[in-house]
Amino acid sequence: MRAFIVRPFGLKQNIDFDAVERDLIAPALDALGITGRTTGEIVSQGNIREDMFRLLLTADLVVADLSIHNANVFYELGIRHSLREKWTVLLRAPGDVVPFDLLTDRYLQYDPANPKATVPALTATIRASLASEGDDSPVFRLLPAMSPQDPNVFLTIPREFGEACARAVADDRTGDLALLGQEAHGCEWETAGLRLIGNAQIDARDYEGARVSWEAVRSSDVDDIEANLRLGTVYQRLGDLPRSDAAVARALKAGVRRPHDRAEAFASRGRNAKMRWVQSWRGAPPDTWATKALESPLLREAYRGYKCAFLEDLNAFYPGLNALGLLTVTVALAQQQPEVWATVCDDDNEPATQLEQCQRRLRSLTGSLEFALKAAKGRQDRDQPEDRWLRIGLADLGLYGSPRPARVAADYRAALVGASDFETRSVRDQLQILIDLSVCKENATAALAQCSQLAADTTPGRILVFTGHRIDEDGRAVPRFPKAAESAARDAIRVAIKSELAANGGVALGLAGGANGGDILFHEVCFELGVPTRLYLAVPPEQFIPVSVAPAGPDWIDRFNRLLDREPPRVLQESETMPSWLSHKSKYNVWQRNNLWVLFNALTCGARRCTAIALWDGASGDGDGGTQDLVTQARSRGAKTVTLDTRSLFAARTV
């Protein structure tokens, strides 16, 4: 989240406004993790620049100091009130009389002689303002028909950032996407960049990464429609149905308008109800599944959600097919169990009449889907890329109505050639529901045989990510990793890796950089224990060796080269020069960036499968991407962390 501070500059009327920002406003924003401050160039009346207008519109929060009658401050506040409906906080010191038009607004008052004293109150005021759903702009309160401007229209993502995102997508590097999302924080275009990253992560099915990105977008506006719609899907994929329901409900309440978005919202509702429905009867004895499935009101709820989604957008054949499948199940089970059907029918109609109504709806829905799928196929044949879900959808349509199981099997076989694990699993799960309930069983059984290439579920191994100190260079004032401590470090790393190997699932992969000391030791120990590793370098080897390997001696260069012989490294940048869109992060360098890059690539497996091992003296203050930040990032995402405390490990070696 970004702020923009509207205030006078310098010393005016015995108030040091620069000190007020430094001692009051900035600490409050820092406490809430909010970036952005003033535009330093705007320091005198009449010096109105394009960037000021943009910042007043795009900043999530504006803090305005109205202590004195300053034309620039009033002008900028008027612009903000006219463009954005909320999240403008006003403060003032005792001084000039408040203008008549602003008399009714609430202010936080501070003592200009001791602005620090008001930091807790300002922090609480900003927090309360951000949590409020009401408008604080008098313009929007008095003119309720007015619509606020969409700041995203005015946020331009740097071309280099967009290109980096495109490369990550093309190379299937979801960890790179997570790094880019992390680095977008604090940029003026932060939310636009996070939207780009979040959508790419959903497409790559990195739902944990997408959750982080979209929650960051929503932190700027809890009612953001796109963020809530995407989170509705993300939470569902992560198995958190209550949060998925809440996100979808918030999107609908906020006023979803576009048919495609409304279809997505109702489809999410249907999908969540369907998952609960399956859980409700699969938890019972198998001989009661059909009865429990028909009795459950979740069956009707899931059908209604998917039906509403299809009616909102007839091009959305996926929810239409799900509605068709659930209605097919309803009709089949009602025919198999008329006595159970009678208990779930409405009192207004006879069970037979209601069954006939369901059958008519089934025929109508089948016909609508035939047209929708045919239209989609025509569009694809003319000018659109191959859509595997369309091919699967055409096979699904035959599943529910074809009298020829062999034909159904052939359609699924063609649709699943080259399919991803996710696509095949989705088909398999739907077919298994039909088989379990004895609905379209012959067709479903024949189709399921085409999913046989899907490997049986296994418990995947853990991913280890390592961070640690390099060997101390000669003359280091305070020893951190003396050369004599190498064997102690190796032993500690070996114990940590063996512990992970003994845990459930073992270890699938180790990830680390290639610096002398901890990194190379980690790779070597993994190799000894039969754990494959992946080498991540901040810059190409020829640039990396002189800076991060050679200072410890020629033996370390030989050991590094042996790592290169095992597997080509992944390289972050072509040089130490940082991308232009990171120029605002003055204390952030390529080495810190590389550490985060390694961590985020490890986290793509899911935080619950990730262990971060840190060979670390516990020192803080190394900034973004430093060891402390790496450990904090891993913990905040739910990863296991193991700290090998060098202060105790190396105590006997540093005297």
Side-chain angles (χ1 to χ4, degrees):
M1 176 173 285
R2 286 184 58 82
F4 181 54
I5 302 171
V6 174
R7 66 171 178 85
F9 287 81
L11 182 65
K12 292 182 173 61
Q13 296 182 205
N14 296 319
I15 301 176
D16 185 346
F17 288 101
D18 295 343
V20 171
E21 175 176 343
R22 182 186 67 242
D23 298 336
L24 171 57
I25 304 174
L29 296 176
D30 288 341
L32 296 170
I34 300 173
T35 61
R37 296 296 182 262
T38 59
T39 297
E41 306 94 289
I42 308 172
V43 295
S44 62
Q45 182 176 355
N47 185 18
I48 305 301
R49 297 168 60 92
E50 178 184 347
D51 51 1
M52 181 269 291
F53 287 105
R54 187 182 66 256
L55 289 168
L56 286 169
L57 169 62
T58 60
D60 303 300
L61 169 75
V62 163
V63 179
D65 189 333
L66 306 181
S67 299
I68 65 174
H69 289 178
N70 181 284
N72 276 345
V73 170
F74 290 143
Y75 183 77
E76 293 170 30
L77 178 61
I79 292 172
R80 172 68 177 191
H81 277 165
S82 300
L83 296 174
R84 299 289 296 274
E85 78 281 19
K86 59 184 178 182
W87 295 354
T88 300
V89 173
L90 308 179
L91 67 157
R92 65 186 300 270
D96 290 343
V97 177
V98 177
F100 173 79
D101 288 338
L102 296 173
L103 272 175
T104 58
D105 292 310
R106 288 178 294 178
Y107 301 84
L108 176 68
Q109 189 160 299
Y110 67 89
D111 179 0
N114 185 21
K116 292 181 180 179
T118 313
V119 170
L122 179 57
T123 303
T125 298
I126 294 173
R127 183 182 289 113
S129 177
L130 296 176
S132 172
E133 297 185 3
D135 295 346
D136 55 40
S137 163
V139 177
F140 286 90
R141 287 202 304 265
L142 296 172
L143 301 174
M146 227 179 131
S147 298
Q149 293 293 313
D150 180 3
N152 294 293
V153 175
F154 301 90
L155 293 173
T156 302
I157 299 173
R159 182 176 63 181
E160 193 174 359
F161 181 89
E163 290 172 347
C165 178
R167 285 195 301 273
V169 170
D171 295 340
D172 194 24
R173 301 281 183 88
T174 53
D176 293 23
L177 290 173
L179 173 66
L180 293 170
Q182 173 69 21
E183 292 175 334
H185 288 286
C187 298
E188 181 185 334
W189 41 269
E190 174 182 335
T191 55
L194 286 170
R195 290 178 199 277
L196 178 67
I197 296 297
N199 280 323
Q201 289 169 320
I202 289 178
D203 290 342
R205 301 185 183 92
D206 176 16
Y207 297 113
E208 181 56 35
R211 178 192 65 78
V212 173
S213 297
W214 283 112
E215 285 183 347
V217 173
R218 193 173 63 175
S219 70
S220 298
D221 184 357
V222 294
D223 291 325
D224 187 290
I225 290 175
E226 184 183 23
N228 279 299
L229 287 174
R230 299 297 179 269
L231 285 170
T233 296
V234 167
Y235 289 143
Q236 187 270 330
R237 297 301 188 193
L238 294 174
D240 193 340
L241 300 187
R243 294 179 76 185
S244 176
D245 287 337
V248 172
R250 187 174 286 276
L252 289 169
K253 183 180 178 181
V256 181
R257 293 289 180 266
R258 295 189 303 176
H260 176 77
D261 290 341
R262 289 183 65 81
E264 181 179 349
F266 286 115
S268 291
R269 280 186 166 179
R271 186 163 53 243
N272 291 348
K274 181 179 177 181
M275 288 185 69
R276 291 188 174 99
W277 169 67
V278 173
Q279 292 166 1
S280 71
W281 54 263
R282 281 241 174 96
D287 61 348
T288 67
W289 282 355
T291 299
K292 296 292 185 183
L294 183 57
E295 287 177 337
S296 174
L298 291 168
L299 173 58
R300 268 74 71 191
E301 182 182 337
Y303 165 71
R304 285 193 297 270
Y306 281 123
K307 181 191 71 172
C308 288
F310 185 52
L311 292 177
E312 289 287 346
D313 182 2
L314 294 178
N315 289 317
F317 57 81
Y318 166 76
L321 286 165
N322 272 276
L324 180 66
L326 292 168
L327 192 55
T328 299
V329 167
T330 300
V331 169
L333 294 183
Q335 292 172 332
Q336 294 171 17
Q337 305 178 87
E339 67 288 349
V340 178
W341 175 247
T343 66
V344 300
C345 285
D346 299 334
D347 294 335
D348 296 338
N349 293 310
E350 290 292 326
T353 302
Q354 292 195 45
L355 179 56
E356 290 175 4
Q357 292 173 347
C358 288
Q359 290 170 325
R360 285 197 298 271
R361 294 191 194 107
L362 187 60
R363 290 191 292 270
S364 176
L365 184 55
T366 300
S368 298
L369 280 165
E370 287 175 348
F371 278 111
L373 288 164
K374 183 178 180 180
K377 184 68 166 59
R379 289 191 297 271
Q380 176 181 277
D381 292 345
R382 286 194 303 273
D383 54 11
Q384 294 183 3
E386 178 78 12
D387 182 353
R388 184 175 304 282
W389 287 111
L390 174 57
R391 296 177 63 182
I392 293 173
L394 290 165
D396 286 343
L397 189 63
L399 169 71
Y400 298 118
S402 175
R404 300 167 55 197
R407 177 62 188 178
V408 172
D411 289 342
Y412 276 103
R413 182 166 56 251
L416 293 173
V417 171
S420 68
D421 178 78
F422 174 81
E423 292 162 339
T424 307
R425 189 182 300 274
S426 296
V427 171
R428 186 193 67 178
D429 290 348
Q430 177 61 27
L431 295 172
Q432 192 62 56
I433 291 172
L434 298 176
I435 293 171
D436 289 346
L437 297 177
S438 296
V439 175
C440 304
K441 190 170 183 177
E442 289 187 15
N443 284 353
T445 301
L448 187 61
Q450 306 309 313
C451 303
S452 59
Q453 72 270 28
L454 186 65
D457 290 337
T458 58
T459 302
R462 299 187 66 77
I463 305 295
L464 307 183
V465 58
F466 179 86
T467 179
H469 298 311
R470 294 184 348 192
I471 297 291
D472 292 343
E473 295 189 25
D474 294 338
R476 182 180 175 87
V478 179
R480 189 171 63 177
F481 189 165
K483 293 180 180 179
E486 179 185 337
S487 61
R490 179 185 291 274
D491 291 343
I493 292 171
R494 181 182 289 107
V495 169
I497 296 173
K498 280 187 172 182
S499 176
E500 294 301 309
L501 283 168
N504 185 33
V507 175
L509 186 66
L511 278 59
N516 64 52
D519 286 351
I520 291 179
L521 285 172
F522 174 79
H523 285 288
E524 290 176 343
V525 173
C526 282
F527 181 73
E528 293 169 8
L529 297 176
V531 176
T533 64
R534 190 170 292 159
L535 176 61
Y536 286 80
L537 299 182
V539 292
E542 60 272 15
Q543 299 176 44
F544 184 83
I545 291 174
V547 176
S548 297
V549 183
D555 175 59
W556 287 95
I557 297 176
D558 292 337
R559 292 160 74 172
F560 175 81
N561 286 329
R562 284 196 288 272
L563 295 183
L564 294 182
D565 291 340
R566 291 179 196 149
E567 182 182 357
R570 293 190 176 186
V571 177
L572 176 61
Q573 298 178 192
E574 293 304 311
S575 71
E576 289 189 45
T577 302
M578 296 291 276
S580 60
W581 51 270
L582 285 172
S583 59
H584 68 291
K585 294 193 174 186
S586 58
K587 297 181 180 180
Y588 185 53
N589 60 46
V590 67
W591 312 107
Q592 295 165 310
R593 189 177 191 228
N594 187 73
N595 284 342
L596 287 175
W597 183 47
V598 179
L599 173 64
F600 288 134
N601 272 278
L603 287 170
T604 58
C605 70
R608 287 179 296 181
R609 287 181 50 212
C610 179
T611 297
I613 300 174
L615 183 72
W616 179 37
D617 63 2
S620 60
D622 45 2
D624 290 352
T627 301
Q628 183 188 43
D629 182 48
L630 202 73
V631 172
T632 300
Q633 292 272 5
R635 286 174 178 165
S636 70
R637 285 165 169 76
K640 177 182 176 182
T641 58
V642 176
T643 299
L644 309 178
D645 190 339
T646 58
R647 291 169 297 185
S648 57
L649 286 173
F650 301 163
R653 313 284 181 159
T654 57
V655 294

